[in-house]
Amino acid sequence: MATSTAARMDGAQEKPSLGTKLAYGFGSAAYGIKNNGFDYFLLLFYGTVVGLEPGLVGLAILIALVFDALSDPLVGYWSDHFRSRWGRRHPFMYAAALPVALTYFMLWNPPELSQTGLFLYLTGISILIRTFITFYETPSSALIPELSHDYDERTTLQSYRMFFGWSGGNIMSIIMFGVLLTGPLGMRDPDAYVTYGIIGSIAIFIAIMVSALGTHSRIPHLHVPPIPTERFSARRIFREMVETLSERSFLALFAATVLFAVATGLSASLSFLLLNYFWGFSEFQIFIWTCTVFFSALLGFLIAPRVGKRFGKKKGTIILGLLAFTIQPAPVLLRLLGLMPDNGDPLLFPLVLSINVIDLALIIAVTAVAFSMIADLVESNQVKTGRRSEGVYYAAMTFTRKTTQGLGVLFAGFILSVISFPQGADPASVDPDTLWKLGAWYAPSMFFLWLSALFFVSRYKIDKAGHEENLRTLNSQGQAA
């Protein structure tokens, strides 16, 4: 029977305790906080407060991404093969905590330098932060397949991770918009960013340490890589990575993740323009909008495991995706058709806000279920190669998210250029025809990206029965973790 494999596994391993799940998920807040700073405040701080040419800020981030292209897969491969009394993953997690926190603090406290000096400083610090966070995020993400072999439990673990990742970043936005940037200088207050850096650094350190310490007791149950019989070399590393990443189901998820990330980048880049210009919401209403992300994260956390268990991961992702990605552009399309209340109507804000809370919850749930599918690739690949390569798989997905969100930003800039959107204009002064064009480009673009991603998800082949068959095969070979 399919369940006989689970019966032979260590019961504690199959059902991590609530404390272990909370600690493991809480660690994702570190990555959420880092992303929050880079996505929402870095350009604003260096381009407006510090005075670095915005184009140089973008170039610095691009250079850091190039280094990510090297560090992410290497760290993933290294952690897959690392042997120590603390296992494969935890030494990396502990080692990353203090460097990530210190460099994140330094990011928001640059010295007084020339344009060239500031550019070099930002580039160097960005490379260090992204490299150090990779030493934590990739090994930490790769723990999911080892914390439980259970098909459905893995979705639950990923849901904890998504909840705390979104919540950690959102808390920092609320602190900034609700407390630190409310002084007379507003978004130009340098002291606000210094305080932001201090709070963020401390929170990142705590999140990483809580996650590492909270999962430390699981080390005896984790996989121990075999002693290598072949000398490590660049050729061997490249060959094994190609073998690992050539899995067809992985390639399907990889393509889907690329499109998900581009869509996310496009949506994030245009979100404040849509809220402020297209819908005419006030700064206070936008602050309330930001606060409701917590409700979406909680709903997504509750929805994902239930849908994954009820329909399976692939079908669940497609069902949730069709709902989420139909709802997201719907208010914009309805406005284009003249079927939404006018700007300033008291019904407009609660209506659009309610739709967003539900839709964002579905998007978070979709991401959680889809990312839990990565864990099931591990045993499928292990059957074929004899190696467990969690780190390589999660490094590839992490790097994809980092880089392709930039493509979303690029696409957003293209849309704004095509419609000649005015820079720095008062919302009331923008031509209604320009706003109509903004919505007309945004909604179909989101439809196309999301639905294309779901098409590639449909190419994924590993279901629950296939996963349990892989576990039985590994058990019979004595390879199960």
mmCIF file of all heavy atoms in Angstrom, residues 319-339:
data_model
loop_
_atom_site.group_PDB
_atom_site.id
_atom_site.type_symbol
_atom_site.label_atom_id
_atom_site.label_comp_id
_atom_site.label_asym_id
_atom_site.label_seq_id
_atom_site.Cartn_x
_atom_site.Cartn_y
_atom_site.Cartn_z
ATOM 1 N N ILE A 319 -6.213 25.463 -9.453
ATOM 2 C CA ILE A 319 -7.520 25.967 -9.005
ATOM 3 C C ILE A 319 -7.362 27.311 -8.298
ATOM 4 O O ILE A 319 -8.058 28.291 -8.606
ATOM 5 C CB ILE A 319 -8.199 24.945 -8.076
ATOM 6 C CG1 ILE A 319 -8.622 23.708 -8.872
ATOM 7 C CG2 ILE A 319 -9.420 25.570 -7.382
ATOM 8 C CD1 ILE A 319 -9.140 22.568 -8.005
ATOM 9 N N LEU A 320 -6.438 27.362 -7.329
ATOM 10 C CA LEU A 320 -6.207 28.616 -6.608
ATOM 11 C C LEU A 320 -5.728 29.709 -7.561
ATOM 12 O O LEU A 320 -6.130 30.868 -7.446
ATOM 13 C CB LEU A 320 -5.169 28.404 -5.501
ATOM 14 C CG LEU A 320 -5.617 27.610 -4.278
ATOM 15 C CD1 LEU A 320 -4.424 27.306 -3.383
ATOM 16 C CD2 LEU A 320 -6.673 28.396 -3.493
ATOM 17 N N GLY A 321 -4.869 29.314 -8.507
ATOM 18 C CA GLY A 321 -4.339 30.287 -9.439
ATOM 19 C C GLY A 321 -5.407 30.891 -10.337
ATOM 20 O O GLY A 321 -5.443 32.100 -10.554
ATOM 21 N N LEU A 322 -6.295 30.050 -10.843
ATOM 22 C CA LEU A 322 -7.368 30.562 -11.694
ATOM 23 C C LEU A 322 -8.265 31.532 -10.929
ATOM 24 O O LEU A 322 -8.699 32.552 -11.474
ATOM 25 C CB LEU A 322 -8.199 29.398 -12.251
ATOM 26 C CG LEU A 322 -7.500 28.534 -13.309
ATOM 27 C CD1 LEU A 322 -8.364 27.333 -13.662
ATOM 28 C CD2 LEU A 322 -7.194 29.355 -14.565
ATOM 29 N N LEU A 323 -8.513 31.224 -9.662
ATOM 30 C CA LEU A 323 -9.303 32.141 -8.837
ATOM 31 C C LEU A 323 -8.558 33.442 -8.586
ATOM 32 O O LEU A 323 -9.076 34.537 -8.817
ATOM 33 C CB LEU A 323 -9.645 31.474 -7.501
ATOM 34 C CG LEU A 323 -10.690 30.367 -7.520
ATOM 35 C CD1 LEU A 323 -10.765 29.682 -6.160
ATOM 36 C CD2 LEU A 323 -12.054 30.930 -7.907
ATOM 37 N N ALA A 324 -7.304 33.310 -8.126
ATOM 38 C CA ALA A 324 -6.539 34.492 -7.747
ATOM 39 C C ALA A 324 -6.275 35.409 -8.934
ATOM 40 O O ALA A 324 -6.419 36.634 -8.838
ATOM 41 C CB ALA A 324 -5.209 34.063 -7.113
ATOM 42 N N PHE A 325 -5.895 34.819 -10.040
ATOM 43 C CA PHE A 325 -5.435 35.624 -11.156
ATOM 44 C C PHE A 325 -6.587 36.123 -12.021
ATOM 45 O O PHE A 325 -6.386 36.939 -12.920
ATOM 46 C CB PHE A 325 -4.427 34.840 -11.986
ATOM 47 C CG PHE A 325 -3.336 34.239 -11.139
ATOM 48 C CD1 PHE A 325 -2.776 33.014 -11.448
ATOM 49 C CD2 PHE A 325 -2.888 34.879 -9.987
ATOM 50 C CE1 PHE A 325 -1.777 32.452 -10.653
ATOM 51 C CE2 PHE A 325 -1.904 34.331 -9.183
ATOM 52 C CZ PHE A 325 -1.348 33.112 -9.515
ATOM 53 N N THR A 326 -7.792 35.616 -11.731
ATOM 54 C CA THR A 326 -8.985 36.203 -12.332
ATOM 55 C C THR A 326 -9.458 37.382 -11.492
ATOM 56 O O THR A 326 -9.861 38.415 -12.020
ATOM 57 C CB THR A 326 -10.115 35.161 -12.449
ATOM 58 O OG1 THR A 326 -9.654 34.067 -13.255
ATOM 59 C CG2 THR A 326 -11.351 35.764 -13.095
ATOM 60 N N ILE A 327 -9.363 37.226 -10.181
ATOM 61 C CA ILE A 327 -9.823 38.284 -9.278
ATOM 62 C C ILE A 327 -8.903 39.501 -9.342
ATOM 63 O O ILE A 327 -9.380 40.648 -9.325
ATOM 64 C CB ILE A 327 -9.901 37.744 -7.832
ATOM 65 C CG1 ILE A 327 -11.007 36.698 -7.713
ATOM 66 C CG2 ILE A 327 -10.141 38.882 -6.843
ATOM 67 C CD1 ILE A 327 -11.028 35.990 -6.368
ATOM 68 N N GLN A 328 -7.586 39.286 -9.423
ATOM 69 C CA GLN A 328 -6.647 40.404 -9.289
ATOM 70 C C GLN A 328 -6.903 41.538 -10.288
ATOM 71 O O GLN A 328 -7.023 42.697 -9.896
ATOM 72 C CB GLN A 328 -5.205 39.913 -9.392
ATOM 73 C CG GLN A 328 -4.197 41.039 -9.135
ATOM 74 C CD GLN A 328 -2.765 40.568 -9.239
ATOM 75 O OE1 GLN A 328 -2.402 39.904 -10.193
ATOM 76 N NE2 GLN A 328 -1.955 40.928 -8.262
ATOM 77 N N PRO A 329 -6.969 41.263 -11.592
ATOM 78 C CA PRO A 329 -7.199 42.377 -12.520
ATOM 79 C C PRO A 329 -8.664 42.756 -12.705
ATOM 80 O O PRO A 329 -8.966 43.716 -13.401
ATOM 81 C CB PRO A 329 -6.622 41.857 -13.849
ATOM 82 C CG PRO A 329 -6.405 40.403 -13.687
ATOM 83 C CD PRO A 329 -6.724 40.012 -12.293
ATOM 84 N N ALA A 330 -9.568 41.997 -12.062
ATOM 85 C CA ALA A 330 -10.999 42.225 -12.288
ATOM 86 C C ALA A 330 -11.441 43.649 -11.944
ATOM 87 O O ALA A 330 -12.166 44.274 -12.742
ATOM 88 C CB ALA A 330 -11.820 41.203 -11.503
ATOM 89 N N PRO A 331 -11.065 44.232 -10.775
ATOM 90 C CA PRO A 331 -11.506 45.611 -10.502
ATOM 91 C C PRO A 331 -11.044 46.613 -11.556
ATOM 92 O O PRO A 331 -11.785 47.529 -11.915
ATOM 93 C CB PRO A 331 -10.873 45.903 -9.131
ATOM 94 C CG PRO A 331 -10.672 44.580 -8.511
ATOM 95 C CD PRO A 331 -10.330 43.663 -9.644
ATOM 96 N N VAL A 332 -9.810 46.419 -12.062
ATOM 97 C CA VAL A 332 -9.306 47.322 -13.096
ATOM 98 C C VAL A 332 -10.125 47.178 -14.369
ATOM 99 O O VAL A 332 -10.519 48.171 -14.997
ATOM 100 C CB VAL A 332 -7.807 47.044 -13.369
ATOM 101 C CG1 VAL A 332 -7.314 47.892 -14.535
ATOM 102 C CG2 VAL A 332 -6.976 47.334 -12.126
ATOM 103 N N LEU A 333 -10.406 45.934 -14.769
ATOM 104 C CA LEU A 333 -11.211 45.710 -15.970
ATOM 105 C C LEU A 333 -12.620 46.293 -15.809
ATOM 106 O O LEU A 333 -13.163 46.904 -16.746
ATOM 107 C CB LEU A 333 -11.292 44.210 -16.267
ATOM 108 C CG LEU A 333 -10.022 43.555 -16.812
ATOM 109 C CD1 LEU A 333 -10.218 42.043 -16.916
ATOM 110 C CD2 LEU A 333 -9.661 44.133 -18.170
ATOM 111 N N LEU A 334 -13.203 46.115 -14.636
ATOM 112 C CA LEU A 334 -14.539 46.664 -14.395
ATOM 113 C C LEU A 334 -14.534 48.184 -14.454
ATOM 114 O O LEU A 334 -15.481 48.804 -14.955
ATOM 115 C CB LEU A 334 -15.063 46.180 -13.039
ATOM 116 C CG LEU A 334 -15.388 44.687 -12.948
ATOM 117 C CD1 LEU A 334 -15.735 44.289 -11.514
ATOM 118 C CD2 LEU A 334 -16.528 44.324 -13.895
ATOM 119 N N ARG A 335 -13.446 48.812 -13.953
ATOM 120 C CA ARG A 335 -13.337 50.271 -14.053
ATOM 121 C C ARG A 335 -13.244 50.702 -15.524
ATOM 122 O O ARG A 335 -13.865 51.687 -15.933
ATOM 123 C CB ARG A 335 -12.114 50.735 -13.266
ATOM 124 C CG ARG A 335 -11.636 52.174 -13.569
ATOM 125 C CD ARG A 335 -12.721 53.235 -13.356
ATOM 126 N NE ARG A 335 -13.182 53.324 -12.002
ATOM 127 C CZ ARG A 335 -12.552 54.025 -11.038
ATOM 128 N NH1 ARG A 335 -11.435 54.647 -11.289
ATOM 129 N NH2 ARG A 335 -13.064 54.085 -9.822
ATOM 130 N N LEU A 336 -12.477 49.949 -16.314
ATOM 131 C CA LEU A 336 -12.348 50.291 -17.731
ATOM 132 C C LEU A 336 -13.696 50.201 -18.442
ATOM 133 O O LEU A 336 -13.953 50.942 -19.404
ATOM 134 C CB LEU A 336 -11.346 49.355 -18.414
ATOM 135 C CG LEU A 336 -9.897 49.412 -17.908
ATOM 136 C CD1 LEU A 336 -9.031 48.412 -18.661
ATOM 137 C CD2 LEU A 336 -9.326 50.820 -18.038
ATOM 138 N N LEU A 337 -14.558 49.298 -17.959
ATOM 139 C CA LEU A 337 -15.889 49.132 -18.559
ATOM 140 C C LEU A 337 -16.926 50.051 -17.920
ATOM 141 O O LEU A 337 -18.114 49.993 -18.268
ATOM 142 C CB LEU A 337 -16.338 47.670 -18.413
ATOM 143 C CG LEU A 337 -15.489 46.631 -19.161
ATOM 144 C CD1 LEU A 337 -15.940 45.221 -18.797
ATOM 145 C CD2 LEU A 337 -15.590 46.857 -20.670
ATOM 146 N N GLY A 338 -16.492 50.872 -16.946
ATOM 147 C CA GLY A 338 -17.407 51.810 -16.302
ATOM 148 C C GLY A 338 -18.334 51.176 -15.295
ATOM 149 O O GLY A 338 -19.415 51.723 -15.021
ATOM 150 N N LEU A 339 -17.915 50.023 -14.720
ATOM 151 C CA LEU A 339 -18.791 49.287 -13.809
ATOM 152 C C LEU A 339 -18.349 49.378 -12.349
ATOM 153 O O LEU A 339 -18.865 48.659 -11.505
ATOM 154 C CB LEU A 339 -18.855 47.810 -14.234
ATOM 155 C CG LEU A 339 -19.399 47.556 -15.640
ATOM 156 C CD1 LEU A 339 -19.330 46.072 -15.982
ATOM 157 C CD2 LEU A 339 -20.833 48.064 -15.762
#
